[in-house]
Every structure is written in structure tokens, then in C-alpha cells.
Amino acid sequence: MYKQAYSKSILFNLLLTVAALIYVFIMLHLLLYRDRYNGGGYSYNIVPLHTIKQYIFYRHHMNWSIWFTNIFGNILLFIPIGIFAPLFRVKYRKPIRLAAFTIVWIAIIELIQMLAHVGSFDIDDIILNTFGALLGLIFTSIMLFVYRKSK
């Protein structure tokens, strides 16, 4: 019986690792390699909630897909961070640690996007991405709780 549980753990870890790698490659493509040339200049927003407010207050004057992608896409695409990070490292099961981890990595990605002219640095993206990661952590915490209760 112990051997079966151990082999399931190895299989779970292998599947988790493969899923995380696929996610990383998809995100690298979305964040750095798709056609988003920003016209050769540096673009940035360092005022928290500025862009989010623009999207909320002027949503009726925008293309719906652009509005949806910029608000909900930034949240949904980072939910997996809140799933993978806590499953790989127990310390990321604490919201403050996961938030710090997410903020650092997203800030690095935002800076790379701006400097490579494939996007812009926007503090609101960091806020929305971190919120998405925390939603993923809530989901992971619920699933771990249910799993432990079922044992």
C-alpha cells in the first residue's frame, strides 16, 4: 500500500511539473513574444488604480474585448500562479508570501516588456495579476482542505 501511495505522489508531481512548464511557456509567449510593439517608446503607469479606473469609467467607449482582456485577463491568467507556487513550495501557502513572490516576478516581467518594447509597465497589471494569484491560492487552499478532510 505504501508503494502505491508513493507512485501516485511521483505521478502527481510529474503532472504538476509538466502543467507548470506548459503554463510558463504559454505565459512567456503571451507576455513577451506576441506582436505588441508599442511604437518604440517607453510606456508606463506608476499610479495605482489609474488604468483600472480608466477601464471602469470609460468601458462604454471601449472595445469590449480590449476592456475584458485588460481587466479580467490580467486576473484569470495569473490564477495558476496561486495554484502552482503553493503546491511546489509550502511557504507560498501564506497569502503575504505568495503576494510578495507574485509582485516581484510580475514587476520583473513588466520591466522587461517595457524595455524590450513589447508592452508597457503598468502598476495596475501588477495589482490585477497579484489578485489573480491570490484567487488561485484560495482555490488551492480549499482543495487541500477538502483533500485532507477526505483522508
Side-chain angles (χ1 to χ4, degrees):
M1 184 161 155
Y2 175 74
K3 191 173 184 181
Q4 284 180 330
Y6 183 72
S7 66
K8 287 181 183 179
S9 176
I10 289 173
L11 179 60
F12 175 78
N13 288 332
L14 179 63
L15 291 173
L16 183 66
T17 302
V18 169
L21 286 172
I22 291 169
Y23 172 74
V24 166
F25 286 121
I26 290 170
M27 292 306 290
L28 284 173
H29 175 73
L30 288 173
L31 296 171
L32 300 175
Y33 296 112
R34 65 185 174 137
D35 296 330
R36 295 192 321 168
Y37 186 73
N38 73 0
Y42 293 100
S43 175
Y44 61 91
N45 167 43
I46 58 172
V47 179
L49 305 177
H50 176 75
T51 306
I52 294 171
K53 282 190 240 178
Q54 295 289 322
Y55 280 117
I56 291 171
F57 293 132
Y58 300 109
R59 69 184 174 278
H60 300 295
H61 303 287
M62 294 180 191
N63 179 316
W64 186 85
S65 66
I66 292 172
W67 177 83
F68 184 85
T69 300
N70 280 288
I71 296 292
F72 295 103
N74 274 315
I75 294 170
L76 294 173
L77 285 175
F78 286 85
I79 288 174
I81 296 290
I83 296 170
F84 292 128
L87 292 176
F88 281 116
R89 302 282 309 263
V90 174
K91 72 180 188 177
Y92 295 127
R93 291 184 186 167
K94 295 184 184 213
I96 193 75
R97 287 194 176 194
L98 179 67
F101 170 80
T102 304
I103 290 167
V104 167
W105 279 106
I106 300 308
I108 291 169
I109 290 168
E110 290 286 317
L111 283 169
I112 291 169
Q113 284 181 329
M114 184 182 73
L115 295 174
H117 303 277
V118 294
S120 61
F121 182 94
D122 193 336
I123 193 74
D124 289 347
D125 286 350
I126 297 171
I127 292 168
L128 293 169
N129 298 158
T130 304
F131 180 69
L134 291 172
L135 286 177
L137 177 62
I138 291 168
F139 173 77
T140 302
S141 298
I142 291 169
M143 292 298 107
L144 289 172
F145 177 78
V146 169
Y147 174 74
R148 287 185 191 123
K149 281 290 204 186
S150 70
K151 284 184 105 180

